[in-house]
Amino acid sequence: MDALIPKWHRELELFSAVKPMLILEGNVLDQYRYPVPGSVGEDQLCPLPRYLQGYFQDLGYDQVVFYSNLLGFINPYDGAMLERFARMTGAEAVRGAIPAEFKGNGANTAPNLIRRALAQGEQAVAVVLEAVSRYITSPERMDQMEVNSFNLLLHAAQSAAAVQTRQGRRQNLLVLLVNKVNDLPGWLYLHNPLAKIITIEAPDREERERLLCGAAFPSFFDGTVYRTRMPYYREHPQELRQLQSRFLALTEGMTFTELDAVRRLSKRERADIRDLCAMVELYKYGVRENPWQSLDAAALRTAKEDFRRRVKGQDTALERTLDVVKRAVTGMNGAGSSSAGGKPKGVLFFAGPTGTGKTETAKALAEKLFGDERACVRFDMSEYAQSHSDQKLMGAPPGYVGYEAGGQLTNAVKKKPFSILLFDEIEKAHPSILDKFLQILEDGRMTDGQGDTVYFSETILIFTSNLGIYTRDALGNRRLNVSMDMDYPHLARRVREAIEEYFKLELGRPELLNRIGENIVVFDFIRREAGEEILRSQVERVLRRLAEERDLRVEIAPAAYDALRDAALADLSNGGRGIGNQVESLLINPLARWLFDQAVTGGAQVLVEACLTQANPPELRCRRREETHES
Amino acid sequence: MKAEDVRFTGGALRRGGYALGDIVADLWGAPQGAEEGAPGSPAAFPPFEQFWRAVDADVDWTDALVRDTPPDGLTSPALWRFYHGQAPAVLAGDVRAYLAVLKTADPLGDLKPYVRGMTVGAPDADTLRCRFQAEPAYLSGTPAEARRYLAAVALRAARDLMALLPVCRVRAEAYRGEEELLEAEYAREALQGVRFGLADPVALTQTCGGRFSGGLEAPPGPSANAAPE
């Protein structure tokens, strides 16, 4: 296989010849695949300092030394280089290190030694400063000594000499390794012609492919597993390619260190070749029980009936919802997409009038899939209406208030990777939040303020919205876009059109709509028949609770129930929630009042004879079964 | 493919695991009889109670396939180069390569003081077969002691062989002359996850389908396998 040289390595080659100060930022704590044969074996994974030692040594540098403010100058790979560096700078090596403070006034502070080393023209020197992000507390609040120290580094770069080596002319070099370039004072690198910032990214697909699918692929498996299972895949190369392709998609965004950990985990667990992708999930979530794999197919087959018992009058919406779930369960989610690996299991956009069961459906789904309604984590998006609300959701960056707490969304997914995330009333969130969702929908992952990558690939995302129910007329007045007298297909079309218009024209984010695809599920109005079912179930629930918790047997006479029904279902525009409000107002409150006034205790039997819905406040006429008593 | 069994004489290349003698010395002090080299009586041999608890270091064959230098510095570069050269054939299930590895690595050499004429063969790519003659001195006690000795040697041999080669099972056969005393087949899957520090070798051997014979038939039940005080 030809050498695959990452971009940052090529930039290093390019700029180490012309710039005396190189700032390597980004993924600096990872391991790296050494791309060419040299003093480090080709394709060998090694930490960045080892990589740089090999790289500069191969370029012909006489001395490579590493500095950190904790250890001083060291070279764990070639002690002789450190000795020569000590002689050159007039310092003293003690037990494999040259102690030197980063800041201070002495002649033997690290910046002074570096300046001396870089200024000489006898031997080519590369000094690598590790973890520079930690030398100072904050680049904005540096004391004068810290400023002086960095200024000395700037002088060192300015006075860096060129040296003739056996392999040609080399520039003495200062290399700074930082997590983020803005951990350094801005004046050190901004508009500084001596410095070049080189960003090290996490390995891209090609690099991962080389590690995962190339010569190193066997090392992901225990010897016995590889010997016994690989012949099958040699005969079925297409299956192996599919497996590797999915593996590549799942490992997107992972560092080499993480990939190597997956490799060792797979070997240790003696994973079968076909279970390679499960090892990525094991690594990411640390649990072996994947609820998606242990889903009871039989239970799912009866889901529609179970959902119907909980959510009334929404057969079409429930059908569409279950289609998405079945796709997720069968692993067909995103099957048409080229990079389905890390995406969420499913995305649903519930739209429709208020009180029609959108949130209830999400909860029912959580209970069905994960056996616990609490696996549905709800976010009220009206709480995220400010432009900075994304910090509340994803976590504040270092140095900001709330950094330690992390983000509400990212914390929830870290805690429960297998869950349903319900974003209620998404249209109320600030548009900048929607950008974050775009990343989740596309990549299935998100890095929180603390730098942890959170994976959404085992979640179902549900957005709810009232978009399309109201619209604005030419004068900007709010008016109903849909009405009870519309049939469902008409209603669904109107709502869908309004949602598309909102994302495309009002928000200007058609790409978000594209990610949701055909998963917009429109909930119907609660019609009379469904309303009656809802009312019946709510009344039954009230009476059952009285029986179970208070030992009171309450019956409602048919005439009273008819009056209650007529009043409760007179206006269905508020859906099931409106019916619940009516039950509270017309039944629960007057009944509680009567029970309290009459000092009815446990064991009593009560008959509600009449429901006086027109009274103010509404009243009930009740009597005990054994005696007649008027309220 | 017919390949001859490898006979172990001990004292060849020593790999990363614990040597049995070291363990014995740690637990009970240096065995006197072994130093004197006077086989023939029980006192002349080191105790065998801890055989099954130790095992040689695993050889990572897939790593050996893809790397020409040891990854962790625990294996000598020379031995790793040998593994690297053999890895393609070993991972292809070539039993000749198995035997070459067995000859070089000598995984059972440290069992020499406890058995006679130990040989290992490879009937197929999935299986290694280990045969040995029981040392009469260890059979002179009670049947329970004899069973414990045989199971301990067989289990240790199986673990060492599985650590060395990517086989699925090891068949162990113990003899007294022509008379078979133990036949057991240890599957890798069955040994996976066993806490050997707590396991009883006889019970484990029986769980793996091991059969004692020649007057050493084990009665069922754990009490029959308990070591004498």
Side-chain angles (χ1 to χ4, degrees):
Chain A
M1 197 183 278
D2 295 334
L4 171 66
I5 301 177
K7 177 173 170 282
W8 70 269
H9 181 107
R10 282 183 275 135
E11 287 182 341
L12 188 65
E13 271 178 352
L14 201 62
F15 292 106
S16 61
V18 293
K19 297 269 188 181
M21 182 192 287
L22 299 176
I23 301 170
L24 270 55
E25 68 134 3
N27 187 28
V28 292
L29 298 176
D30 199 5
Q31 294 186 74
Y32 308 85
R33 189 185 51 79
Y34 202 72
V36 288
S39 49
V40 179
E42 187 180 5
D43 276 345
Q44 189 177 324
L45 281 179
C46 56
L48 188 57
R50 176 73 189 95
Y51 189 108
L52 294 175
Q53 163 77 26
Y55 173 75
F56 289 124
Q57 201 174 324
D58 294 345
L59 271 185
Y61 275 81
D62 303 303
Q63 292 172 42
V64 184
V65 288
F66 301 88
Y67 174 79
S68 83
N69 59 339
L70 294 176
L71 302 174
F73 291 92
I74 55 167
N75 187 325
Y77 316 107
D78 188 342
M81 283 191 172
L82 186 76
E83 294 291 340
R84 287 202 298 272
F85 181 82
R87 281 198 296 276
M88 173 198 290
T89 55
E92 190 185 352
V94 182
R95 289 190 292 275
I98 301 172
E101 297 282 344
F102 180 68
K103 63 177 193 176
N105 292 319
N108 281 339
T109 58
N112 270 316
L113 295 182
I114 292 168
R115 195 164 56 94
R116 258 176 261 162
L118 264 59
Q120 57 77 40
E122 300 294 317
Q123 298 175 45
V125 182
V127 181
V128 181
L129 271 59
E130 297 183 71
V132 188
S133 304
R134 305 288 172 264
Y135 292 4
I136 50 174
T137 320
S138 161
E140 284 85 30
R141 291 188 290 274
M142 289 165 67
D143 63 31
Q144 190 55 47
M145 264 205 246
E146 289 171 335
V147 172
N148 292 348
S149 297
F150 275 107
N151 210 11
L152 274 170
L153 293 183
L154 199 58
H155 281 298
Q158 270 177 322
S159 57
V163 180
Q164 188 64 38
T165 71
R166 275 175 295 180
Q167 296 188 40
R169 204 173 162 79
R170 298 283 177 259
Q171 167 109 41
N172 284 343
L173 268 180
L174 178 60
V175 182
L176 284 72
L177 310 185
V178 289
N179 299 91
K180 294 195 306 294
V181 71
N182 54 10
D183 291 340
L184 297 172
W187 51 262
L188 187 70
Y189 58 88
L190 290 174
H191 311 298
N192 179 358
L194 302 170
K196 175 65 188 171
I197 300 166
I198 298 175
T199 302
I200 306 181
E201 306 278 4
D204 60 19
R205 186 181 171 95
E206 207 179 343
E207 286 182 277
R208 282 182 289 120
E209 188 166 11
R210 190 174 178 111
L211 180 72
L212 305 179
C213 312
F217 179 69
S219 70
F220 277 79
F221 306 99
D222 169 74
T224 314
V225 172
Y226 185 78
R227 183 183 65 71
T228 52
R229 297 292 299 151
M230 198 54 198
Y232 172 83
Y233 287 98
R234 283 200 194 96
E235 286 174 17
H236 301 84
Q238 184 61 28
E239 276 187 45
L240 185 64
R241 270 196 295 276
Q242 280 173 2
L243 181 81
Q244 289 177 328
S245 172
R246 181 163 156 67
F247 188 46
L248 277 175
L250 280 173
T251 53
E252 193 177 332
M254 291 175 82
T255 61
F256 276 124
T257 306
E258 290 175 309
L259 293 172
D260 193 48
V262 171
R263 185 185 71 85
R264 283 182 283 129
L265 187 67
S266 166
K267 189 170 271 187
R268 188 184 156 80
E269 291 290 302
R270 302 190 68 240
D272 196 300
I273 295 175
R274 66 167 181 265
D275 295 332
L276 191 55
C277 296
M279 287 300 111
V280 182
E281 284 163 11
L282 176 63
Y283 176 78
K284 283 180 182 175
Y285 308 118
V287 286
R288 300 222 55 175
E289 289 155 8
N290 183 339
W292 289 105
Q293 286 172 356
S294 55
L295 267 182
D296 184 359
L300 209 56
R301 272 184 214 110
T302 61
K304 196 171 170 184
E305 284 66 40
D306 296 341
F307 280 21
R308 268 185 181 161
R309 275 194 284 276
R310 236 176 124 161
V311 182
K312 320 280 187 198
Q314 303 294 353
D315 288 3
T316 313
L318 294 180
E319 191 90 54
R320 294 285 309 276
T321 303
L322 283 171
D323 280 349
V324 173
V325 174
K326 283 170 188 167
R327 255 187 2 229
V329 171
T330 52
M332 299 280 287
N333 190 44
S337 158
S338 58
S339 60
K343 288 185 176 182
K345 287 276 182 201
V347 181
L348 286 158
F349 193 102
F350 288 171
T354 181
T356 50
K358 299 187 287 291
T359 307
E360 190 67 12
T361 303
K363 287 181 182 172
L365 198 57
E367 188 174 9
K368 186 50 103 178
L369 293 177
F370 305 118
D372 186 356
E373 209 177 85
R374 285 171 299 176
C376 175
V377 185
R378 180 176 173 272
F379 296 89
D380 184 345
M381 297 314 287
S382 60
E383 292 177 16
Y384 302 91
Q386 308 302 319
S387 60
H388 54 77
S389 303
D390 58 337
Q391 293 185 6
K392 205 156 93 177
L393 215 53
M394 316 298 173
Y400 285 77
V401 173
Y403 164 72
E404 297 79 8
Q408 291 174 349
L409 173 61
T410 47
N411 283 354
V413 177
K414 273 188 213 170
K415 198 171 159 191
K416 288 184 181 173
F418 302 93
S419 57
I420 288 179
L421 302 172
L422 175 67
F423 303 101
D424 243 349
E425 304 194 79
I426 185 69
E427 74 276 12
K428 292 183 180 167
H430 191 273
S432 68
I433 301 256
L434 300 180
D435 289 335
K436 305 289 179 189
F437 286 125
L438 196 64
Q439 191 189 333
I440 295 172
L441 295 176
E442 186 59 27
D443 302 332
R445 64 190 156 81
M446 166 131 299
T447 303
D448 69 7
Q450 296 174 331
D452 291 339
T453 303
V454 182
Y455 299 93
F456 291 77
S457 52
E458 302 303 325
T459 61
I460 285 184
L461 268 56
I462 298 179
F463 301 98
T464 76
S465 167
N466 293 328
L467 279 172
I469 306 306
Y470 293 96
T471 186
R472 293 198 182 273
D473 62 18
L475 298 173
N477 298 320
R478 196 167 182 247
R479 63 177 175 76
L480 272 172
N481 186 38
V482 291
S483 63
M484 291 282 292
D485 52 9
M486 281 180 190
D487 60 4
Y488 177 72
H490 190 184
L491 167 85
R493 195 174 61 248
R494 292 287 288 266
V495 170
R496 218 179 282 270
E497 282 169 1
I499 291 170
E500 285 180 13
E501 192 179 300
Y502 175 77
F503 279 106
K504 285 180 182 169
L505 303 178
E506 202 168 320
L507 212 57
R509 309 307 302 270
E511 63 273 28
L512 195 57
L513 191 66
N514 286 343
R515 302 302 189 285
I516 295 164
E518 287 301 302
N519 296 343
I520 297 174
V521 178
V522 180
F523 281 63
D524 196 4
F525 277 111
I526 297 295
R527 314 268 175 189
R528 175 86 189 180
E529 194 182 334
E532 287 190 16
E533 278 187 61
I534 292 170
L535 176 68
R536 194 175 308 120
S537 76
Q538 292 198 358
V539 170
E540 280 171 3
R541 196 183 310 150
V542 172
L543 301 187
R544 193 168 55 244
R545 280 189 61 184
L546 280 172
E548 287 170 2
E549 294 173 15
R550 303 281 308 278
D551 193 23
L552 290 172
R553 310 253 167 247
V554 178
E555 279 182 51
I556 302 178
Y561 186 81
D562 288 347
L564 175 68
R565 183 193 57 207
D566 292 343
L569 304 185
D571 177 13
L572 287 173
S573 61
N574 290 321
R577 203 172 291 122
I579 297 173
N581 291 342
Q582 291 292 321
V583 169
E584 189 171 321
S585 160
L586 303 176
L587 177 67
I588 298 175
N589 289 348
L591 183 60
R593 201 183 313 133
W594 185 85
L595 292 173
F596 181 81
D597 291 348
Q598 302 301 318
V600 178
T601 52
Q605 294 188 23
V606 175
L607 176 68
V608 178
E609 292 179 319
C611 183
L612 309 176
T613 59
Q614 300 301 318
N616 189 17
E619 288 179 15
L620 296 179
R621 194 159 60 225
C622 310
R623 69 175 168 83
R624 294 190 195 215
R625 277 294 199 181
E626 300 304 318
E627 60 195 68
T628 304
H629 193 99
E630 302 252 335
S631 72
Chain B
M1 187 183 292
K2 175 83 175 96
E4 287 184 9
D5 289 5
V6 177
R7 178 175 292 274
F8 289 100
T9 54
L13 267 169
R14 163 97 177 273
R15 294 185 298 130
Y18 294 102
L20 193 72
D22 297 344
I23 298 164
V24 169
D26 280 351
L27 292 170
W28 294 285
Q32 295 168 359
E35 279 177 11
E36 291 159 9
S41 68
F45 296 96
F48 54 82
E49 274 78 0
Q50 305 296 314
F51 269 13
W52 66 93
R53 291 187 176 169
V55 65
D56 289 342
D58 280 309
V59 176
D60 190 334
W61 284 103
T62 51
D63 253 15
L65 180 70
V66 302
R67 301 173 60 112
D68 53 6
T69 52
D72 46 16
L74 292 176
T75 311
S76 80
L79 187 57
W80 187 267
R81 273 195 299 279
F82 170 73
Y83 290 151
H84 182 63
Q86 294 291 334
V90 166
L91 289 173
D94 181 346
V95 295
R96 284 186 192 282
Y98 285 7
L99 297 183
V101 170
L102 285 166
K103 262 186 186 154
T104 303
D106 187 21
L108 307 180
D110 50 6
L111 293 182
K112 190 198 165 203
Y114 309 93
V115 294
R116 294 176 181 178
M118 184 173 257
T119 60
V120 177
D124 57 58
D126 287 334
T127 315
L128 289 179
R129 185 193 54 221
C130 168
R131 286 179 172 151
F132 62 92
Q133 286 286 333
E135 177 56 59
Y138 289 117
L139 301 175
S140 59
T142 65
E145 285 173 319
R147 281 195 296 272
R148 197 169 174 80
Y149 155 71
L150 293 171
V153 174
L155 191 54
R156 169 66 191 260
R159 294 188 70 200
D160 278 353
L161 292 172
M162 284 184 200
L164 180 66
L165 284 162
V167 291
C168 299
R169 64 191 82 88
V170 172
R171 194 177 305 145
E173 296 167 13
Y175 294 89
R176 177 167 49 197
E178 295 296 309
E179 184 183 29
E180 187 175 81
L181 298 178
L182 169 66
E183 184 185 353
E185 187 169 285
Y186 300 95
R188 189 182 284 271
E189 293 296 329
L191 298 189
Q192 200 77 24
V194 171
R195 295 169 71 186
F196 289 94
L198 306 173
D200 177 88
V202 178
L204 189 54
T205 297
Q206 287 177 305
T207 307
C208 293
R211 284 185 302 106
F212 293 93
S213 50
L216 297 178
E217 290 80 0
S223 58
N225 303 322
E229 290 297 320

